[in-house]
Amino acid sequence: MNEQLEEKIEEMDGLEDINKQLLTKELLSNDELQKARKELITGLNEMLNSSRVNIGIKRMGEIDEKAFQNIVKHKFPPEEAEIKTIELCSLWQEKLKNPDFYPFKIIHNDGKHEEVLYKDDESQYKLKDEWEG
């Protein structure tokens, strides 16, 4: 039993050493991350203050309501247009949540890549025909 106890103590000492090494690595990594964060913040502030820079942020997979608002407000009174905009956005947001839904195909035209609508996606053309002037 004494041998087993000594083995367990040695094993525990080895695990403590590994734990100390991992803690040291974590602290060093955290220090590096904090330095990089400070540099990025400083660089971004300098860039924004040095010239006129417009950085826009858009969440991937989210519908831009403005496009729907612009079309709907021409066909409905203001109070009804807001409701229609929300309905359309909700409908198309649900379609975007489907991972199999990708409404574009990429074609090569004169050495450039272009995204065009799939011709067999009736829902997009129905939307376009219904809402375009």
Side-chain angles (χ1 to χ4, degrees):
M1 287 185 60
N2 282 339
E3 287 179 19
Q4 287 180 341
L5 180 61
E6 286 181 30
E7 287 177 13
K8 295 293 180 186
I9 290 172
E10 287 176 12
E11 187 178 317
M12 200 161 109
D13 288 342
L15 290 173
E16 283 180 13
D17 288 342
I18 291 172
N19 189 35
K20 287 178 185 177
Q21 291 173 358
L22 288 173
L23 285 173
T24 304
K25 285 183 180 182
E26 180 188 12
L27 290 172
L28 291 173
S29 295
N30 191 30
D31 288 344
E32 287 179 34
L33 285 171
Q34 291 302 322
K35 287 178 186 175
R37 180 180 176 267
K38 286 179 184 177
E39 285 183 41
L40 285 170
I41 290 171
T42 303
L44 183 61
N45 283 333
E46 288 174 4
M47 184 179 76
L48 291 174
N49 292 331
S50 65
S51 64
R52 294 190 148 242
V53 177
N54 186 10
I55 298 176
I57 297 173
K58 175 149 176 47
R59 293 180 63 182
M60 293 294 292
E62 296 238 343
I63 296 279
D64 183 9
E65 287 185 24
K66 290 178 185 176
F68 288 95
Q69 284 173 342
N70 292 337
I71 292 173
V72 171
K73 72 181 179 184
H74 295 293
K75 291 195 174 211
F76 294 98
E79 56 278 344
E80 195 175 335
E82 187 174 332
I83 294 169
K84 282 291 186 187
T85 300
I86 292 169
E87 287 174 1
L88 276 172
C89 286
S90 295
L91 172 75
W92 283 91
Q93 190 66 47
E94 285 302 312
K95 286 184 183 242
L96 287 177
K97 286 181 183 178
N98 179 359
D100 296 327
F101 177 73
Y102 188 75
F104 300 99
K105 66 179 177 179
I106 298 175
I107 61 168
H108 303 284
N109 189 8
D110 295 331
K112 295 181 182 178
H113 301 287
E114 291 182 37
E115 286 185 339
V116 295
L117 292 175
Y118 277 123
K119 292 187 178 185
D120 57 349
D121 187 0
E122 293 177 25
S123 60
Q124 294 175 54
Y125 286 100
K126 182 181 174 188
L127 176 73
K128 184 178 178 181
D129 291 341
E130 184 178 337
W131 292 99
E132 276 194 339

